[in-house]
């Protein structure tokens, strides 16, 4: 059973849009201290900005991962120069998701390897991503694939009463 990546359809994106928006908003609440309302608004805004034409947005690769006929996840990559994070030579993984029932089987690793091959074919020399510091599983995966830390954000909770 070989994992494949195929271009995402508008219908597939429509089905994934709300879970992506909600999931990112939850991460913003947990990791950036935003209120749920502000986080949901920011999440929706970033999605609209990143995918203004939906699945047909120029300069992005939206791919669905399948093993045989079963969808196991998806990946969204911005090509160089498309997003602020990407930069002039770096593509950027905006999001990668393996559906919960399919985790722990190496699908994320294979998705990244396949997208790297596609990017190499397009002449893109570099790939970047952000990962929340508490996501130790993902950090381990990315390091094992050769990603290196190029920036870090750090935070400390302060007790306002003491």
């Amino acid at each position: 059973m070989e994992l494949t990546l195929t271009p995402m359809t508008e219908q597939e994106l429509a089905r994934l849009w709300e879970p992506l928006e909600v999931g990112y908003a939850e991460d913003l609440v947990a990791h950036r201290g935003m209120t749920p309302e502000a986080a949901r608004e920011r999440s929706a805004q970033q999605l609209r900005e990143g995918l203004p034409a939906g699945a047909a947005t120029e300069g992005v690769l939206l791919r669905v991962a399948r093993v045989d006929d079963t969808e196991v996840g998806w990946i969204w990559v911005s090509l160089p120069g498309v997003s602020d994070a990407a930069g002039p030579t770096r593509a950027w993984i905006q999001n990668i998701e393996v559906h919960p029932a399919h985790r722990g089987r190496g699908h994320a690793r294979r998705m990244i390897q396949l997208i790297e091959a596609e990017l190499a074919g397009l002449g893109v020399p570099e790939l970047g991503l952000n990962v929340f510091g508490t996501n130790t599983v993902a950090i381990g995966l990315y390091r094992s694939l050769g990603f290196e830390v190029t920036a870090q954000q750090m935070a400390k909770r302060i007790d306002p009463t003491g």
Side-chain angles (χ1 to χ4, degrees):
M1 294 188 291
E2 177 66 21
L3 185 137
T4 60
L5 294 180
T6 57
M8 186 179 290
T9 67
E10 200 62 47
Q11 294 78 18
E12 289 166 332
L13 178 59
R15 178 174 44 80
L16 297 169
W17 191 280
E18 183 155 351
L20 175 60
E21 185 178 311
V22 169
Y24 184 54
E26 289 170 352
D27 283 338
L28 290 174
V29 169
H31 300 288
R32 301 272 168 86
M34 297 178 80
T35 66
E37 298 78 20
R40 185 69 187 257
E41 185 177 311
R42 179 68 179 140
S43 179
Q45 174 191 1
Q46 285 190 313
L47 281 172
R48 285 191 308 269
E49 290 172 359
L51 297 169
T57 300
E58 193 171 325
V60 301
L61 305 176
L62 282 168
R63 302 291 183 259
V64 176
R66 289 186 175 80
V67 174
D68 296 327
D69 291 332
T70 302
E71 179 181 318
V72 299
W74 59 280
I75 188 168
W76 165 16
V77 175
S78 294
L79 295 176
V82 171
S83 74
D84 291 340
T89 62
R90 182 181 294 166
W92 197 261
I93 296 175
Q94 299 290 347
N95 198 57
I96 182 169
E97 179 79 25
V98 175
H99 301 315
H102 302 282
R103 292 182 182 159
R105 301 179 192 172
H107 296 322
R109 174 179 302 280
R110 188 67 184 136
M111 289 165 62
I112 292 171
Q113 291 168 334
L114 290 171
I115 209 74
E116 284 178 1
E118 186 173 353
L119 291 167
L122 295 172
V124 176
E126 207 173 9
L127 178 61
L129 56 83
N130 279 329
V131 60
F132 288 111
T134 57
N135 193 344
T136 56
V137 172
I139 291 168
L141 169 66
Y142 301 144
R143 283 190 175 138
S144 76
L145 285 165
F147 286 84
E148 298 174 349
V149 174
T150 58
Q152 274 187 312
Q153 286 187 342
M154 298 177 82
K156 177 181 177 183
R157 298 203 186 267
I158 299 172
D159 181 359
T161 63

